[in-house]
Amino acid sequence: PLSSPCKQSKQPLQPEQGGRTPGDKAALVVIEDSTNERDTPSLQNAFLLFKERRKAQLKEAGKLKRQAEKKRNNPRFKTELRRLFLEAARGYLGVPYARRFHDPEWCTCEGCEEKGEQLYHEPLFLDCCALVRRCVADLKEQFGFKLGGGNQSYQFDTLPVRVDSINKLKPGDLIFYEGKYYNPAAKRPKHDMVHVEIFTGSGEKGEGTIGSREQKKWVKEYDDYRIEKSPRWKLVSYHFVKIDTWLEGTCKSFCPVHLWPVTTARRKTATKSVFALSSSEDEAADGDDCCAP
C-alpha cells in the first residue's frame, strides 16, 4: 500500500534553543497571516457587501413607492398626509438643536438654564433640516420614500413648486430662509439657504411655523415665521415652498446646477471606501451644515 504523505517521521524534531521546534515558528506565521486575512476584508468582499446593501435599499424604496401609490387613490390622501406631517413635527417639540452647543460637564447656557435640564444628555437632537428629514422618515410608507441626508439646500432642490405669498401655503408646506453669513470664512450653503421651517398656519395672523431655530434651545412652535434678526446671518429672502411634489411620491433634485446624489449619506467611514453606505442616513440629528439663527 502507498504510504501517506502526512506520515510522521520516526525521528522526533529536536527543539531549537529556547524550547521551540523548527516547525513552531512557521506554524505561528501561518496562523498570524490567516488571522489578518480574516480581519481585513478584500476589495471584492467590500464590493459584494456594497451591492447587497444597495440592493436592499432599492428593494425597500420600491416597496415604499408601491405602498404609497395604492394609498394615493384616496382623494383625501394629500390632506391627510399633510395633517400627519404636522402631527409628526409636533411630536418633536422640545427636542434640542444639537449636542455640540452644550457643555458635557455642567452647561449654563440660556437653553439649559431656561429648561432646568442638562440638554447635553438628551437622547435625540434635531436641527432645522433634520426635523424635516425625521418627520418624512416617520411617514416613509405614506410618502413612498425617505429623504437623503442633505441639508436644507438639498430639501429646497427637491421641491420645485414655489409661490410668491405665504397666503398660498397650506399647513405642512415649508418656508426656506435665504441669508448671507456675517463671517466671511463660514461655509456657504448652496443657494444660500440657511434655515427651514414647517408652516402650520397657526398663530394670530395664521403665519405660524414649527422649527428648530435656536442652537442652544429646542424645536418650538412659533406664531410668526419671520426672523427679524440673526447673530449669524443677514436675511436676504423668504421662500414659500409647496410640498406637493413629495405628496405625489417624487423626491429628486430639480436643480440643474446642483446634482445631488440619490442618497446623500453624511457619515464617513474610517476607510473612506467608495463602497461604503450609511445604514442610518436619516437618523442622525446634526452635523450636515444645517444652519439656524
Side-chain angles (χ1 to χ4, degrees), residues 128-148:
C128 65
C129 56
L131 172 63
V132 175
R133 185 188 311 120
R134 188 70 177 246
C135 292
V136 173
D138 289 346
L139 298 166
K140 61 184 180 182
E141 293 183 358
Q142 287 80 7
F143 278 106
F145 60 84
K146 294 191 295 183
L147 286 173

Side-chain angles (χ1 to χ4, degrees), residues 12-265:
L13 295 174
Q14 297 299 320
E16 292 179 338
Q17 186 176 0
R20 290 184 179 178
T21 66
D24 288 340
K25 189 173 182 181
L28 287 173
V29 172
V30 171
I31 292 173
E32 289 174 359
D33 287 347
S34 63
T35 302
N36 289 337
E37 289 176 1
R38 289 195 300 268
D39 293 343
T40 306
S42 66
L43 183 62
Q44 182 179 7
N45 289 339
F47 178 67
L48 292 174
L49 182 60
F50 164 81
K51 287 181 64 177
E52 290 176 2
R53 290 180 177 176
R54 185 62 180 151
K55 184 178 179 181
Q57 282 186 341
L58 294 174
K59 184 178 180 180
E60 182 186 13
K63 180 180 178 181
L64 292 175
K65 186 176 181 179
R66 289 190 297 272
Q67 290 175 340
E69 284 175 350
K70 292 180 180 178
K71 297 175 182 178
R72 285 192 182 87
N73 295 327
N74 187 333
R76 293 181 53 83
F77 174 82
K78 290 184 180 180
T79 301
E80 178 64 10
L81 185 49
R82 284 179 178 274
R83 185 190 68 79
L84 292 173
F85 186 52
L86 277 181
E87 185 177 291
R90 288 194 170 102
Y92 292 111
L93 292 174
V95 174
Y97 181 91
R99 177 176 278 118
R100 65 182 181 273
F101 296 110
H102 301 281
D103 191 312
E105 298 298 329
W106 186 257
C107 188
T108 58
C109 73
E110 57 180 340
C112 291
E113 291 288 335
E114 180 181 330
K115 205 163 189 178
E117 300 175 5
Q118 290 294 295
L119 298 178
Y120 180 89
H121 303 290
E122 290 293 307
L124 178 64
F125 296 83
L126 296 171
D127 54 25
C128 65
C129 56
L131 172 63
V132 175
R133 185 188 311 120
R134 188 70 177 246
C135 292
V136 173
D138 289 346
L139 298 166
K140 61 184 180 182
E141 293 183 358
Q142 287 80 7
F143 278 106
F145 60 84
K146 294 191 295 183
L147 286 173
N151 63 11
Q152 63 278 357
S153 300
Y154 157 74
Q155 294 170 1
F156 179 77
D157 277 350
T158 64
L159 295 170
V161 182
R162 291 90 188 249
V163 294
D164 57 6
S165 171
I166 194 171
N167 296 326
K168 297 179 181 179
L169 294 183
K170 294 181 180 179
D173 287 329
L174 302 179
I175 300 177
F176 289 85
Y177 299 68
E178 179 183 348
K180 298 285 188 181
Y181 286 119
Y182 296 123
N183 181 3
K187 183 179 179 181
R188 182 180 177 183
K190 294 177 176 64
H191 307 295
D192 291 321
M193 291 300 165
V194 294
H195 186 55
V196 61
E197 293 190 2
I198 303 171
F199 178 70
T200 63
S202 59
E204 185 177 346
K205 298 180 180 179
E207 298 179 345
T209 58
I210 294 175
S212 191
R213 288 187 184 181
E214 302 165 84
Q215 291 180 338
K216 296 183 179 180
K217 294 192 178 181
W218 46 84
V219 178
K220 293 183 179 182
E221 188 160 0
Y222 298 92
D223 289 337
D224 192 343
Y225 70 93
R226 297 174 182 85
I227 297 176
E228 299 296 340
K229 187 177 181 180
S230 166
R232 300 180 62 211
W233 45 262
K234 180 180 179 181
L235 180 71
V236 173
S237 176
Y238 298 107
H239 295 262
F240 307 117
V241 179
K242 308 284 288 182
I243 65 167
D244 292 67
T245 309
W246 289 356
L247 297 176
E248 292 165 2
T250 300
C251 180
K252 67 177 184 178
S253 175
F254 289 87
C255 178
V257 178
H258 305 115
L259 301 178
W260 301 86
V262 176
T263 55
T264 49

